Amino acid sequence: MNDRRQFLSIAAIGTATAAFFGWRPTTPAAAAETFPYQLTDAAWRKKLSPAAYRTLRHEATEYPFTSPLNNEHRAGLFSCAGCALPLYSSKTKFDSGTGWPSFWKPLPNAIGTRRDSTLGFTRTEVHCRRCGGHLGHVFDDGPQPTGLRYCMNGVAMTFTPARTNA
Protein backbone atom coordinates (compact mmCIF):
# COMPACT_ATOMS: atom_id res chain seq x y z
CA MET A 1 0.00 0.00 0.00
CA ASN A 2 2.80 2.39 0.87
CA ASP A 3 4.58 1.70 -2.42
CA ARG A 4 1.39 2.39 -4.37
CA ARG A 5 0.85 5.73 -2.60
CA GLN A 6 4.45 6.73 -3.21
CA PHE A 7 4.16 5.79 -6.87
CA LEU A 8 0.94 7.78 -7.30
CA SER A 9 2.43 10.79 -5.51
CA ILE A 10 5.53 10.74 -7.68
CA ALA A 11 3.42 10.31 -10.82
CA ALA A 12 1.22 13.26 -9.87
CA ILE A 13 4.22 15.48 -9.16
CA GLY A 14 5.86 14.44 -12.43
CA THR A 15 2.70 15.14 -14.43
CA ALA A 16 2.22 18.57 -12.83
CA THR A 17 5.87 19.46 -13.43
CA ALA A 18 5.73 18.32 -17.06
CA ALA A 19 2.53 20.28 -17.64
CA PHE A 20 3.97 23.42 -16.05
CA PHE A 21 7.10 23.29 -18.19
CA GLY A 22 5.33 22.73 -21.44
CA TRP A 23 4.48 19.11 -22.12
CA ARG A 24 0.87 18.73 -23.15
CA PRO A 25 -0.67 15.28 -23.68
CA THR A 26 -3.48 16.72 -25.84
CA THR A 27 -3.82 18.90 -28.90
CA PRO A 28 -3.50 22.64 -28.17
CA ALA A 29 -6.76 24.58 -27.89
CA ALA A 30 -5.73 26.75 -30.85
CA ALA A 31 -5.96 23.68 -33.13
CA ALA A 32 -9.75 23.82 -32.85
CA GLU A 33 -9.88 27.45 -34.05
CA THR A 34 -9.25 29.03 -37.43
CA PHE A 35 -6.85 31.95 -37.77
CA PRO A 36 -6.07 34.24 -40.73
CA TYR A 37 -2.41 33.12 -40.89
CA GLN A 38 -2.05 29.36 -41.13
CA LEU A 39 0.76 26.96 -41.98
CA THR A 40 1.04 23.19 -42.00
CA ASP A 41 2.75 21.60 -39.02
CA ALA A 42 5.77 20.85 -41.21
CA ALA A 43 5.95 24.49 -42.32
CA TRP A 44 5.75 25.71 -38.69
CA ARG A 45 8.58 23.32 -37.73
CA LYS A 46 10.70 24.64 -40.59
CA LYS A 47 9.96 28.31 -39.86
CA LEU A 48 10.43 28.31 -36.06
CA SER A 49 13.24 27.32 -33.73
CA PRO A 50 12.48 24.15 -31.74
CA ALA A 51 11.74 26.20 -28.59
CA ALA A 52 9.50 28.66 -30.46
CA TYR A 53 7.68 25.76 -32.13
CA ARG A 54 7.00 24.04 -28.79
CA THR A 55 5.78 27.30 -27.26
CA LEU A 56 3.78 28.84 -30.09
CA ARG A 57 2.29 25.65 -31.52
CA HIS A 58 2.08 23.35 -28.45
CA GLU A 59 1.63 25.81 -25.57
CA ALA A 60 4.94 25.09 -23.87
CA THR A 61 6.44 27.52 -21.35
CA GLU A 62 10.07 28.61 -21.49
CA TYR A 63 12.10 28.53 -18.31
CA PRO A 64 12.04 31.83 -16.39
CA PHE A 65 14.96 34.25 -16.77
CA THR A 66 16.13 32.57 -20.01
CA SER A 67 14.81 35.02 -22.62
CA PRO A 68 16.96 37.95 -23.74
CA LEU A 69 13.68 39.86 -24.22
CA ASN A 70 13.19 39.87 -20.47
CA ASN A 71 16.08 42.37 -20.29
CA GLU A 72 15.16 44.32 -23.43
CA HIS A 73 14.68 47.98 -22.45
CA ARG A 74 14.99 49.84 -25.75
CA ALA A 75 12.03 51.59 -27.37
CA GLY A 76 10.36 49.42 -29.98
CA LEU A 77 7.80 46.73 -30.73
CA PHE A 78 7.47 43.13 -29.59
CA SER A 79 5.92 40.99 -32.34
CA CYS A 80 4.76 37.40 -32.79
CA ALA A 81 7.66 35.11 -33.74
CA GLY A 82 5.22 33.06 -35.82
CA CYS A 83 3.60 35.66 -38.06
CA ALA A 84 5.30 39.00 -37.20
CA LEU A 85 2.09 40.67 -35.97
CA PRO A 86 3.03 43.53 -33.59
CA LEU A 87 1.77 42.60 -30.11
CA TYR A 88 3.17 44.97 -27.48
CA SER A 89 4.84 48.36 -27.34
CA SER A 90 7.93 48.77 -25.18
CA LYS A 91 6.02 51.63 -23.54
CA THR A 92 3.85 49.06 -21.73
CA LYS A 93 6.68 46.70 -20.69
CA PHE A 94 7.61 46.47 -17.01
CA ASP A 95 9.80 44.32 -14.77
CA SER A 96 7.42 41.96 -13.00
CA GLY A 97 10.22 40.01 -11.31
CA THR A 98 8.73 36.76 -12.65
CA GLY A 99 11.46 36.02 -15.18
CA TRP A 100 9.27 36.50 -18.25
CA PRO A 101 8.76 39.64 -20.36
CA SER A 102 5.69 41.36 -18.92
CA PHE A 103 3.40 44.06 -20.26
CA TRP A 104 0.40 45.91 -18.84
CA LYS A 105 -1.42 46.33 -22.17
CA PRO A 106 -1.31 44.75 -25.67
CA LEU A 107 -1.57 46.71 -28.90
CA PRO A 108 -5.12 47.06 -30.27
CA ASN A 109 -6.45 43.94 -32.05
CA ALA A 110 -3.21 42.04 -31.42
CA ILE A 111 -4.15 39.19 -29.10
CA GLY A 112 -6.90 36.75 -28.27
CA THR A 113 -7.57 34.98 -24.99
CA ARG A 114 -9.17 31.73 -23.89
CA ARG A 115 -9.71 29.81 -20.67
CA ASP A 116 -6.86 27.48 -19.71
CA SER A 117 -7.41 24.78 -17.06
CA THR A 118 -4.48 22.51 -17.98
CA LEU A 119 -2.84 22.75 -14.54
CA GLY A 120 -5.98 22.02 -12.55
CA PHE A 121 -6.87 25.67 -11.96
CA THR A 122 -8.16 28.33 -14.31
CA ARG A 123 -5.92 30.88 -15.99
CA THR A 124 -6.38 33.10 -19.03
CA GLU A 125 -4.20 32.03 -21.94
CA VAL A 126 -3.03 34.68 -24.42
CA HIS A 127 -2.48 33.90 -28.09
CA CYS A 128 -1.67 35.82 -31.27
CA ARG A 129 -4.85 37.00 -32.95
CA ARG A 130 -3.47 36.33 -36.45
CA CYS A 131 -1.78 32.90 -36.18
CA GLY A 132 -3.12 31.54 -32.88
CA GLY A 133 0.39 31.07 -31.49
CA HIS A 134 0.53 30.63 -27.71
CA LEU A 135 2.21 33.64 -26.11
CA GLY A 136 1.64 33.21 -22.36
CA HIS A 137 -1.00 34.15 -19.79
CA VAL A 138 -2.58 37.28 -18.36
CA PHE A 139 -3.02 37.86 -14.62
CA ASP A 140 -4.73 40.59 -12.60
CA ASP A 141 -1.71 41.52 -10.48
CA GLY A 142 -0.10 44.08 -12.80
CA PRO A 143 0.52 47.81 -12.49
CA GLN A 144 -1.90 50.61 -13.20
CA PRO A 145 -3.49 51.84 -15.35
CA THR A 146 -4.84 48.36 -16.29
CA GLY A 147 -3.86 46.28 -13.26
CA LEU A 148 -3.01 43.46 -15.69
CA ARG A 149 0.21 41.50 -16.18
CA TYR A 150 0.60 39.93 -19.61
CA CYS A 151 3.30 37.38 -18.78
CA MET A 152 4.75 36.36 -22.16
CA ASN A 153 7.19 33.74 -23.35
CA GLY A 154 10.09 35.65 -24.89
CA VAL A 155 10.75 32.82 -27.34
CA ALA A 156 7.28 33.46 -28.80
CA MET A 157 8.19 37.02 -29.75
CA THR A 158 10.73 39.08 -31.65
CA PHE A 159 11.82 42.63 -30.90
CA THR A 160 12.23 45.47 -33.40
CA PRO A 161 13.90 48.62 -32.05
CA ALA A 162 12.23 51.93 -32.81
CA ARG A 163 13.89 53.98 -35.52
CA THR A 164 15.82 56.94 -34.27
CA ASN A 165 16.20 60.11 -36.24
CA ALA A 166 19.83 60.72 -37.10
Side-chain angles (χ1 to χ4, degrees):
M1 186 70 154
N2 215 8
D3 289 335
R4 184 172 180 217
R5 264 190 239 143
Q6 285 176 331
F7 172 78
L8 292 174
S9 296
I10 291 169
I13 291 168
T15 301
T17 302
F20 181 77
F21 287 109
W23 179 78
R24 300 283 192 264
T26 59
T27 303
E33 297 179 48
T34 302
F35 296 94
Y37 184 92
Q38 295 185 20
L39 296 175
T40 65
D41 187 63
W44 281 120
R45 282 184 185 273
K46 186 175 180 179
K47 178 181 176 102
L48 301 170
S49 71
Y53 173 79
R54 284 190 306 273
T55 301
L56 285 164
R57 308 317 308 164
H58 293 282
E59 301 176 2
T61 300
E62 69 187 354
Y63 289 105
F65 301 102
T66 59
S67 173
L69 295 186
N70 195 41
N71 297 316
E72 181 57 68
H73 302 295
R74 294 175 290 172
L77 290 175
F78 294 83
S79 300
C80 176
C83 70
L85 179 70
L87 303 168
Y88 297 94
S89 166
S90 60
K91 294 176 185 173
T92 65
K93 188 173 187 283
F94 70 99
D95 183 3
S96 65
T98 62
W100 289 280
S102 297
F103 305 85
W104 51 265
K105 178 182 163 186
L107 293 171
N109 202 27
I111 65 158
T113 60
R114 70 173 70 86
R115 184 179 170 177
D116 176 3
S117 300
T118 56
L119 296 181
F121 57 92
T122 303
R123 301 179 292 172
T124 302
E125 186 261 350
V126 176
H127 59 271
C128 174
R129 181 220 20 107
R130 186 160 54 194
C131 72
H134 172 76
L135 301 169
H137 292 85
V138 61
F139 303 95
D140 63 3
D141 60 357
Q144 293 304 317
T146 65
L148 298 174
R149 173 174 52 97
Y150 289 85
C151 190
M152 303 292 98
N153 289 288
V155 72
M157 299 184 299
T158 60
F159 177 74
T160 305
R163 293 185 190 182
T164 57
N165 295 334

